[in-house]
Amino acid sequence: MATLNLGRIKPVFRGAYAGGTAYVIDDIVTSGNETFICIQASTGNATSNASYWTKLAAKGTDGTDVGTTITTQGDILYRDGSGLQRLAKGTAGQVLKINSGATAPEWGTDAGGSILAVSTKMYGGTNEVNTQCRTNDFTFTGNSYEVSPLTITMTPSSNTSKFLFQMNMQMARSDSHVGFGWLTYQVAGGTEYAVTSSGTRGVTFRYDAEHVASSNIGAPSNVHQVMIAPNTTSAVTFRIRIATASSSYPWWINRAPNNATDVDDGGYMLSTSTCMELAGSNSTKAVTSVNETKT
């Protein structure tokens, strides 16, 4: 009749292996960060001796003890070129991303998308603007009209932010005298600058219309945009300014070039301006043949 050892109904954990300890069948020990179970009673036979021990749990092939590698709540285990490594938890609001060398994970700030903020305005008023600048050397500071309903002020979230300022102006002229326009920006408390060409009497846009005097022609859309890098965290104001070479030949805003305002003649349109704050690291601003000066 078989003898039942009531003390051996289940395996017994004996801790770390010791060469001077007597072990019996079903004793469990640890050695070299691995776990073994005794299959034959003995004393002094190391766990490497397969006649006496069977491995229950093996360590990683690189020899890393995971339990001592990640030690703190929130730790992350990853593998680099030499083995398993610990990435300590990040701080509140950080995101997990790959480092600049694309070799390992790291915690960092979420840069978000390239567009950080957007502001837009719409204007449906009908204006006659005969502000003249020819006698003031064609400069917006000499004499110009601010289309104030479309002026936008934004405060950048970083001094590296750039701004893309766009206009879609429904305005025209019905003669060959030229009309001028400037897209400008001004940091709070500072000088107002126009973004223009680098040529003499630089403007952002212009228009003349010797051949658009028909009463039923619609006012064309004047579309333009500039990128600005103000290098500030103070509020920045963006403006659309216009002027004419002759006060007798005005700009018509949201009207047909013959100054018609009724629907049949193309009046009552909508002009807009839009400004987008862009992440500086994701945006490129060319400066070739461009002035940002108080023209």
Side-chain angles (χ1 to χ4, degrees), residues 37-103:
I37 187 168
C38 181
I39 59 173
Q40 180 174 240
S42 71
T43 301
N45 287 296
T47 55
S48 58
N49 191 328
S51 297
Y52 297 91
W53 300 95
T54 293
K55 188 181 296 185
L56 288 180
K59 63 185 178 182
T61 56
D62 63 357
T64 302
D65 181 1
V66 173
T68 59
T69 301
I70 51 175
T71 59
T72 307
Q73 181 180 356
D75 285 352
I76 292 178
L77 188 69
Y78 73 96
R79 185 180 184 87
D80 66 3
S82 60
L84 298 178
Q85 304 296 336
R86 169 183 179 255
L87 176 64
K89 68 178 180 179
T91 58
Q94 287 189 314
V95 297
L96 188 64
K97 59 182 184 178
I98 297 298
N99 63 17
S100 59
T103 58

Side-chain angles (χ1 to χ4, degrees), residues 17-294:
Y17 172 82
T21 300
Y23 295 101
V24 298
I25 294 174
D26 291 338
D27 280 345
I28 294 176
V29 298
T30 58
S31 178
N33 295 322
E34 297 182 314
T35 304
F36 300 84
I37 187 168
C38 181
I39 59 173
Q40 180 174 240
S42 71
T43 301
N45 287 296
T47 55
S48 58
N49 191 328
S51 297
Y52 297 91
W53 300 95
T54 293
K55 188 181 296 185
L56 288 180
K59 63 185 178 182
T61 56
D62 63 357
T64 302
D65 181 1
V66 173
T68 59
T69 301
I70 51 175
T71 59
T72 307
Q73 181 180 356
D75 285 352
I76 292 178
L77 188 69
Y78 73 96
R79 185 180 184 87
D80 66 3
S82 60
L84 298 178
Q85 304 296 336
R86 169 183 179 255
L87 176 64
K89 68 178 180 179
T91 58
Q94 287 189 314
V95 297
L96 188 64
K97 59 182 184 178
I98 297 298
N99 63 17
S100 59
T103 58
E106 65 179 8
W107 295 104
T109 302
D110 182 7
S114 295
I115 299 177
L116 306 181
V118 178
S119 180
T120 188
K121 287 190 174 181
M122 296 174 285
Y123 177 59
T126 55
N127 297 81
E128 172 188 334
V129 179
N130 57 11
T131 302
Q132 183 180 358
C133 66
R134 170 172 281 175
T135 57
N136 300 97
D137 199 28
F138 300 95
T139 62
F140 84 87
T141 53
N143 205 22
S144 64
Y145 175 82
E146 176 185 350
V147 188
S148 56
L150 297 179
T151 296
I152 293 176
T153 298
M154 297 182 71
T155 300
S157 57
S158 168
N159 63 1
T160 62
S161 290
K162 299 180 178 69
F163 288 92
L164 189 65
F165 183 43
Q166 303 172 318
M167 74 165 199
N168 189 332
M169 290 292 298
Q170 303 289 348
M171 63 182 186
R173 302 166 56 81
S174 61
D175 59 87
S176 60
H177 289 78
V178 69
F180 305 99
W182 300 266
L183 298 183
T184 76
Y185 73 100
Q186 181 179 19
V187 177
T191 301
E192 183 178 358
Y193 294 95
V195 183
T196 74
S197 72
S198 57
T200 303
R201 298 174 175 176
V203 296
T204 313
F205 59 94
R206 54 164 285 168
Y207 186 85
D208 58 43
E210 184 175 4
H211 303 295
V212 293
S214 169
S215 64
N216 287 317
I217 190 167
S221 175
N222 286 265
V223 179
H224 212 85
Q225 64 182 19
V226 294
M227 184 177 282
I228 299 155
N231 190 30
T232 184
T233 54
S234 299
V236 184
T237 298
F238 303 90
R239 297 180 174 91
I240 301 169
R241 290 187 175 274
I242 57 177
T244 180
S246 171
S247 59
S248 299
Y249 301 96
W251 278 103
W252 306 113
I253 298 178
N254 294 332
R255 302 188 185 197
N258 70 331
N259 192 25
T261 60
D262 62 90
V263 176
D264 290 340
D265 286 334
Y268 296 111
M269 293 157 288
L270 188 66
S271 294
T272 64
S273 64
T274 300
C275 194
M276 293 181 283
E277 181 186 1
L278 308 176
S281 59
N282 297 334
S283 308
T284 301
K285 176 179 176 291
V287 295
T288 304
S289 301
V290 173
N291 279 339
E292 291 186 30
T293 58
K294 186 177 179 182

